[in-house]
């Protein structure tokens, strides 16, 4: 059995492929999806999407959205998504360091919330490039 996975952002189709399984970060925790998974629709957290294509794994950084799983079709609608191979490790690390500094100097509730979100996005990108396949 195969799953059909489509990862979409508002601007593009990031991935449209047949896959064996995925592991996805949702707002309620990580879920694994294999063929014949029960139908669900849930929120996707800022986090990693692990995709098994035949015998290799692909990692993507997802920036929040929704997923619909129905009849071996998985549609992931997110604000942004990047494949691990498209992320520059040095740039991702620099962005993480800037995000950490911005959180330390954030003042007020709104600035702290925005800085925490930026830090979570930066950590996700670094985790994606550091994921062992």
């Amino acid at each position: 059995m195969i799953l059909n996975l489509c990862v979409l952002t508002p601007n593009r189709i990031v991935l449209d492929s047949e896959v064996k399984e995925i592991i996805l970060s949702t707002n309620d925790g990580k879920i694994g999806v294999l063929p014949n998974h029960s139908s669900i629709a849930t929120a996707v957290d800022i986090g990693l999407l692990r995709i098994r294509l035949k015998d290799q794994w692909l990692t993507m950084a997802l920036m929040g959205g929704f997923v619909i799983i129905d009849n071996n079709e998985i549609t992931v609608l997110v604000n942004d998504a990047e494949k691990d191979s498209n992320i520059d490790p040095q740039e991702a690390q620099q962005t993480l360091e800037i995000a950490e500094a911005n959180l330390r100097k954030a003042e007020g509730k709104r600035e702290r919330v925005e800085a925490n979100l930026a830090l979570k996005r930066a950590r996700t990108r670094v985790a994606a490039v550091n994921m062992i396949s």
Side-chain angles (χ1 to χ4, degrees):
M1 265 301 198
I2 293 290
L3 298 162
N4 293 307
L5 173 65
C6 188
V7 179
L8 306 163
T9 72
N11 302 323
R12 64 193 167 101
I13 298 170
V14 181
L15 181 73
D16 190 1
S17 181
E18 291 184 343
V19 302
K20 296 232 178 192
E21 73 178 287
I22 68 165
I23 301 169
L24 178 69
S25 297
T26 72
N27 288 356
D28 295 323
K30 291 185 181 182
I31 63 169
V33 180
L34 293 167
N36 299 318
H37 193 282
S38 60
S39 296
I40 63 168
T42 191
V44 173
D45 198 4
I46 296 169
L48 299 178
L49 170 61
R50 299 275 291 148
I51 305 160
R52 185 163 63 104
L53 305 159
K54 298 190 182 186
D55 293 329
Q56 68 185 83
W57 286 88
L58 167 69
T59 302
M60 296 181 78
L62 301 181
M63 299 303 153
F66 296 92
V67 63
I68 300 167
I69 302 168
D70 186 43
N71 198 28
N72 293 323
E73 300 281 333
I74 305 168
T75 305
V76 181
L77 310 162
V78 288
N79 295 316
D80 197 12
E82 287 181 276
K83 293 179 185 175
D84 55 356
S85 59
N86 293 340
I87 299 172
D88 178 330
Q90 290 178 331
E91 184 270 333
Q93 185 62 42
Q94 289 172 344
T95 301
L96 175 60
E97 291 166 8
I98 292 167
E100 290 170 338
N102 287 341
L103 179 59
R104 283 192 297 272
K105 65 183 179 185
E107 296 178 11
K109 186 174 182 176
R110 182 178 177 159
E111 273 188 33
R112 282 193 299 276
V113 167
E114 289 173 357
N116 270 312
L117 283 172
L119 180 59
K120 191 170 185 178
R121 288 189 296 268
R123 283 182 176 154
T124 296
R125 292 180 76 236
V126 168
V129 295
N130 291 330
M131 185 63 61
I132 298 170
S133 297

